[in-house]
Amino acid sequence: MKNNRFYNIGQFMEMECDYEESDVIVFGAGFDGTTSNRPGTRFASSAMRGEFYGLETYSPLLGLDLQDFNICDMGDLELSIGDTDKVLNEIYEGTKEILNDEKFPFMIGGEHLVILPAFQAISEKYNDVYVLHFDAHTDLREEYNNNKNSHATVIKRIWDITGDGKIFQFGIRSGTREEFDFALRERHTYMETHTIDTFWKIVSTLGGKNVYLTIDLDVLDPSIFPGTGTPEPGGITYRMFEQIFKILKNSNINLVGCDIVELSPDYDRSNVSTIVACKILRELSLVASHNLIKNREKKEKNKLI
Amino acid sequence: MKNNRFYNIGQFMEMECDYEESDVIVFGAGFDGTTSNRPGTRFASSAMRGEFYGLETYSPLLGLDLQDFNICDMGDLELSIGDTDKVLNEIYEGTKEILNDEKFPFMIGGEHLVILPAFQAISEKYNDVYVLHFDAHTDLREEYNNNKNSHATVIKRIWDITGDGKIFQFGIRSGTREEFDFALRERHTYMETHTIDTFWKIVSTLGGKNVYLTIDLDVLDPSIFPGTGTPEPGGITYRMFEQIFKILKNSNINLVGCDIVELSPDYDRSNVSTIVACKILRELSLVASHNLIKNREKKEKNKLI
Amino acid sequence: MKNNRFYNIGQFMEMECDYEESDVIVFGAGFDGTTSNRPGTRFASSAMRGEFYGLETYSPLLGLDLQDFNICDMGDLELSIGDTDKVLNEIYEGTKEILNDEKFPFMIGGEHLVILPAFQAISEKYNDVYVLHFDAHTDLREEYNNNKNSHATVIKRIWDITGDGKIFQFGIRSGTREEFDFALRERHTYMETHTIDTFWKIVSTLGGKNVYLTIDLDVLDPSIFPGTGTPEPGGITYRMFEQIFKILKNSNINLVGCDIVELSPDYDRSNVSTIVACKILRELSLVASHNLIKNREKKEKNKLI
Amino acid sequence: MKNNRFYNIGQFMEMECDYEESDVIVFGAGFDGTTSNRPGTRFASSAMRGEFYGLETYSPLLGLDLQDFNICDMGDLELSIGDTDKVLNEIYEGTKEILNDEKFPFMIGGEHLVILPAFQAISEKYNDVYVLHFDAHTDLREEYNNNKNSHATVIKRIWDITGDGKIFQFGIRSGTREEFDFALRERHTYMETHTIDTFWKIVSTLGGKNVYLTIDLDVLDPSIFPGTGTPEPGGITYRMFEQIFKILKNSNINLVGCDIVELSPDYDRSNVSTIVACKILRELSLVASHNLIKNREKKEKNKLI
Amino acid sequence: MKNNRFYNIGQFMEMECDYEESDVIVFGAGFDGTTSNRPGTRFASSAMRGEFYGLETYSPLLGLDLQDFNICDMGDLELSIGDTDKVLNEIYEGTKEILNDEKFPFMIGGEHLVILPAFQAISEKYNDVYVLHFDAHTDLREEYNNNKNSHATVIKRIWDITGDGKIFQFGIRSGTREEFDFALRERHTYMETHTIDTFWKIVSTLGGKNVYLTIDLDVLDPSIFPGTGTPEPGGITYRMFEQIFKILKNSNINLVGCDIVELSPDYDRSNVSTIVACKILRELSLVASHNLIKNREKKEKNKLI
Amino acid sequence: MKNNRFYNIGQFMEMECDYEESDVIVFGAGFDGTTSNRPGTRFASSAMRGEFYGLETYSPLLGLDLQDFNICDMGDLELSIGDTDKVLNEIYEGTKEILNDEKFPFMIGGEHLVILPAFQAISEKYNDVYVLHFDAHTDLREEYNNNKNSHATVIKRIWDITGDGKIFQFGIRSGTREEFDFALRERHTYMETHTIDTFWKIVSTLGGKNVYLTIDLDVLDPSIFPGTGTPEPGGITYRMFEQIFKILKNSNINLVGCDIVELSPDYDRSNVSTIVACKILRELSLVASHNLIKNREKKEKNKLI
């Protein structure tokens, strides 16, 4: 019997549904082993669980409330820190189980490399998956620090899986000349960071498609998001993310998974970076939940007809 | 005899006029007892006194200079920290004395609840007082943590005094669904945060009216104001405040009191939040002083006629 | 079904036993409403849960391991922040339930005042309770900031319950002249902070007695414990606490409850203060668990005879 | 023999060319002796050398790469800290040597006063030098703290050298009434901070002219640049600097030297301010290098004709 | 009329007596212009005024209470920051005025150099002044950064005034070989830092002598005092200072002035360093006040006889 | 030609001798990939280079001066961050080169695991090497996070090389019960942390032996060394290290290499931890240099005889 005068803060507030009954599964993957600059993204999910309480469950932007959806915070994956290959496999297996149970994986990094095994599992389940990628950095190196698997190569590795024409990058403002050349040659849609128009256009062309969304939070300007490994001046504002959330909510894409990565909480002792990450988590998990239900209802309606 | 080689930093620079000769009375109310998230607004006024020296007394935005006005910093109210009711009464009595002396109270919080007794005193002196409310949060709960008087209920308590149609909220981006429903149902003018047009329109409809101005500094975006209890991403910029100051300066409203609340200085160790609060204090006390004189001159001119 | 690849960090590691099967019940009481200096002790228990993972479960000092005992972390009490009287009552009721279930309450403050209702409940269950009190401050004022119940009066209020000769203070180095006069007149055993000899002597006179242990962590020197509301230079070292733990482990006192209070984690951003609090929690919960079993076995042996 | 498994971080990455072969010479002048508010700009250049590694050598904004230019980081000037006159002379001599070697001096402050001797040396070498000045503060006092040479008087001292009509100030938002009056009377082009149009216009009128560029980094808004002595809310964004870099790159001005001053790294422990300064250093040294070559080629082409 | 509901925090608590009626005059000299490492001691006195409120007025160590003595905090000296010679002269004149009024100067630095003009004034008033010097560093260079007057040469400059045999250094653990050779050759009593025995012996030989006491707070170990320009591991504990205070209180020396210098508050964001400085200020001003009265009474008794 | 007005801070001051002429080679190994708690030791060597300037080159404790010895700072090893095996090999090769050149390797970590390949290289060059190990943690696990090579297993791996009776641990106060059992069974000399007597005794038994010294800086108490991954209360003071340095200087052991590891500078923003590490580096490199010369002279004297 648990004494009901007490509460326990181990899960994201209002993300405490049973796994079985939940559609969206939130989990942490606290790996930062290939981080070449400031480490500490390993602490992102636990820092976020501590700060999430300052937010309301209701989003006035979206008109949606966490209390109306079934979301389950699974906690963090147990990882063999120190051995990159083992860690990647553990993330792969963890994501696969969630997908096998027909649920939506929402991963909190960790460095950007953690999305590689998650995306591998997703691309095995769904075919023809498109990628929406928010980031300050291209992440398109072929190799970094003598390693093929790295936070600086991860989108190149994703491209190894998807091939051309599937990845859309937004907010990029740093990389080598070679990376930018590759992005253009391969017709990745590289775009200027100061307009959201192209995001709307691209999302509208992806109606009905399977889409994976990966957000390296350093896409935000360091003024609002200093707490990351490699802050890059000139980023987008939180207000732009509000537009992005609305576009996603109203879109017809079939979101099959998403992540937010690269929060390194100890580098922002005001905790604002962590709070920003929490608010993006709230908005995106609302969008994902809402769209899952919308799509399911649509399917069922179609069946009836 | 005070040796004139020395200076003493206990008051806001250029706010050291005699109480008797001053129009605008600045004082601190360092209470944060109902704060449910990060405390520390109790330190706001003393932190601000320490940072005010980095500012000039002249405002190029307004073309006004503190040296041309009589402003008196009274220091901080002595408060019975630990007993919310006693504290509220002490703030009420302190404000009342200032009002009885026909002076303009400019309070520095403390948490937002400190404005309730101040507004009580003001509404007893002036009738038909309108409220301009800047904030990230609705503050319209009926009760919070089992208390009716709380930082999260304070505008609802103000509404208990004013009734419908008197409160105008700006910058709100967080609250429960119930709070937003209340705001709309009761015809509080809730507005989007990214335009200042509506502020101009509303102020222009309040010409000649008694107006109280309350600024919860968390209305600002956390990028420029991390030092507060509950930072909420997506806020307004300091540049928007510049527009607000100009609109207020040029308006015909009869400002009867104002406050700035919710600076929690220790959560921003760069001290930028404190400096922002200081600059808002400078601009607003210039506006208040300037308009007091303008209105007095107008009245006297009218008398002559 | 919980996927076993994940772990959830909401409880102190190895303090996750079922409530029913546990002897020692750990819980947080995150109230700091009468704190007159730096607030933030409300965050102590959650900060400690986050840092506890850096410690081993085994104590080489004591030769005991958390894995060998049943300890249950209940999480934090839900408190009506803003209304001191309600909060004190909620702590009283929470502690009483634990005592009614014949369990040992181990409270994590919060400010020192939180121990008053806990001690009230304990003194109702056990008679003739002695108090071992570690602190930098006397806490013997009759009233503070116009309040009788305050962090600065709490030991005086405990004395109202116990009467003379029951309270032993250690490490005190700050107070008014009146408080020190009272401590001497009333034969509280005030002692110098730099010797542990008297602690050993006093504990040895309390064999078989019911004893409550309250540790205001500011008894430690600010060099090792800066993260508290009112740091006071000249305190004891952590090494002295090691002696204290050994003395307690080997003693014959009947420990009926204990607490550690006044960690304010945000004032020590190296987190060392939080880690120190965690280690004291580990050592004390080991001592309490070990002695509970020892005493129970002794009693049962006595019954057999 | 240097073992090639090691690298040494004492110079800005990719600014390690031989002095003799380099066009642009970067050096630090770590003096902050007249700073009246928060000191620490002395640490700017060494903090920047430490953070520069997080940046790529390639600028996607400008399409230029540090690897394609010869830039030499000389390290920091040895200065007689404590004696302002000696220090100014040492900076003068150091800059003069660089100019005598027909190289481009790029100074990293230090407080703003360090530019006075550097500009003195430049105005002795080049005649008719125009000044582009970015700053939050007018720096036009005649005297400050009883000193004629001060961070608060430095532009007035520059004006003593240039006379009227040569200095263009951008981003100014703080000063005394007298300073603003002087700026207008003397036809310094004081302009509003929120538009870049006038910068473009002014630069286009300076085609072929010798121009010195001085950037007090506090021209940036404190949201993105808290790490400075006197942060002033209401500044420009980093995005505006991107426009400035493009305008400079495409201009026909003859840049003869530049500086970035007033980074005080310890006041921004997220290091974002330092990173912003590094990125501005990269972009400006690319622009300077690119334009030096462009102008040289133009001259040589002209000679051929 | 000052409204008595308010208090103003501009002076050290209980050091608010009228200048005329006070024996001990506390004042700040916020100069750090020759500081070669981390600056910021300019903020010491104002930071201390803000933290002093956390201390009681009563010292249980000394059995003395600030409320029983007349102490006047004059605030801070106005200084011509940027011109070392002017600043030194301003400190000289300020100290001289206090001495002319037959009062005891208690200066709060600033860097160590600020004591040079103060000592100059003292040595002009009193003859045959001995110096007790606590410090981590010898400060015996002949010149530093090309300057004769520097924080690193200040005791050598004091020696220029006193000549041999007058200066006693305690706690020294850093300097050049030349400085240590000088200290020994000139029979400065350099001593090991880990014993207080020699301090007691030396003080006992100075009975009836005029003594100036200068405390560079970096004599403390950085564990308890990180907030200084050049922390040097291996220093003394606060407990040792307690012994020092007792020895001074019980001594027969004729204390003619004292100072505490080199607190740089921003480098210790837990504020513990500032609190330590406050407690030393309290204890020393109690000792000074107490001994002044004791000596005066002795003199008057002698007169009667 | 390097302009001699400038200095460059890329090497430890007075450790800038030519590699060929140096006996002691200092280098950084910035790897922290298996760190399970707070990362960031990768920044240790560059942070130390920045702070080293606050120290004198002369050690009054040892009577030795860096200026009298040839020490070469090689900078940091280039490492394949992200692949633990590659990194270990790179450290092995780097150390081997230094040893092949008959020089003394002084490594700055990085996490503790970096010493494994360095010790491997040393044990291949020298036979019968003894290990003096200072640490808070046993580091004797067989496996950690599923990895055999880890900061938590590194001394067990060293033991795999040395076998029984070669490793002496000091300052240990944390580990599992199994680790402590192993340490005792295998006759590792585990000792209490609060006495230096045993260190002296053990060193005196190792006269003439080859000895490797490894210092995990978390052996220090967190009061003086908070800047590390896993601070453990109850450690040794810096004063004890002074005894250790003296014992080593006066010993007859044949030191063949040493290291200091586990400084994580960003977790101590006062930089005291970094300064402590710098002072230990200075003292140990003086001891190593002094003893190398002493031993060489002894050998040559023996040859002569």
Side-chain angles (χ1 to χ4, degrees), chain D residues 222-282:
Chain D
S223 55
I224 187 67
F225 202 81
T228 191
T230 308
E232 185 76 32
I236 71 172
T237 63
Y238 183 80
R239 287 282 176 89
M240 288 192 199
F241 259 120
E242 294 184 345
Q243 299 305 311
I244 291 163
F245 300 143
K246 281 191 190 168
I247 290 169
L248 288 171
K249 186 192 165 197
N250 297 326
S251 77
N252 292 313
I253 62 171
N254 183 34
L255 209 57
V256 295
C258 72
D259 66 68
I260 51 183
V261 299
E262 296 288 358
L263 165 66
S264 185
D266 288 356
Y267 283 94
D268 178 5
R269 287 309 180 90
S270 74
N271 289 6
V272 166
S273 304
T274 303
I275 292 166
V276 166
C278 284
K279 195 163 181 181
I280 292 176
L281 169 64
R282 186 189 73 188

Side-chain angles (χ1 to χ4, degrees), chain A residues 27 44 48 106-112 114-115 212-217 241 258-263 276-282 284:
Chain A
F27 64 101
M48 287 170 67
F106 194 137
M107 184 164 57
I108 300 169
E111 57 160 86
H112 213 158
V114 298
I115 76 158
Y212 184 80
L213 173 64
T214 179
I215 297 180
D216 185 327
L217 291 160
F241 259 121
C258 71
D259 64 69
I260 51 182
V261 298
E262 296 286 357
L263 166 66
V276 166
C278 285
K279 196 163 179 181
I280 292 176
L281 169 64
R282 186 189 73 188
L284 273 186

Side-chain angles (χ1 to χ4, degrees), chain A residues 31-40 42-43 79-84 86 90 144-149 266-267 269, chain F residues 31-40 42-43 79-84 86 90 144-149 266-267 269:
Chain A
F31 174 73
D32 54 11
T34 80
T35 301
S36 49
N37 202 343
R38 314 192 302 194
R42 65 184 65 185
F43 299 128
L79 300 176
S80 300
I81 298 300
D83 185 326
T84 304
K86 273 191 207 161
E90 288 155 353
Y144 194 65
N145 281 334
N146 304 322
N147 294 313
K148 290 202 67 161
N149 288 341
D266 288 356
Y267 283 94
R269 286 311 180 88
Chain F
F31 174 72
D32 55 10
T34 81
T35 300
S36 48
N37 202 343
R38 313 191 302 193
R42 64 183 66 183
F43 299 127
L79 300 175
S80 301
I81 298 300
D83 185 327
T84 304
K86 273 190 208 162
E90 288 154 353
Y144 194 66
N145 280 334
N146 303 323
N147 294 313
K148 291 202 66 162
N149 288 341
D266 288 355
Y267 282 95
R269 287 310 181 89

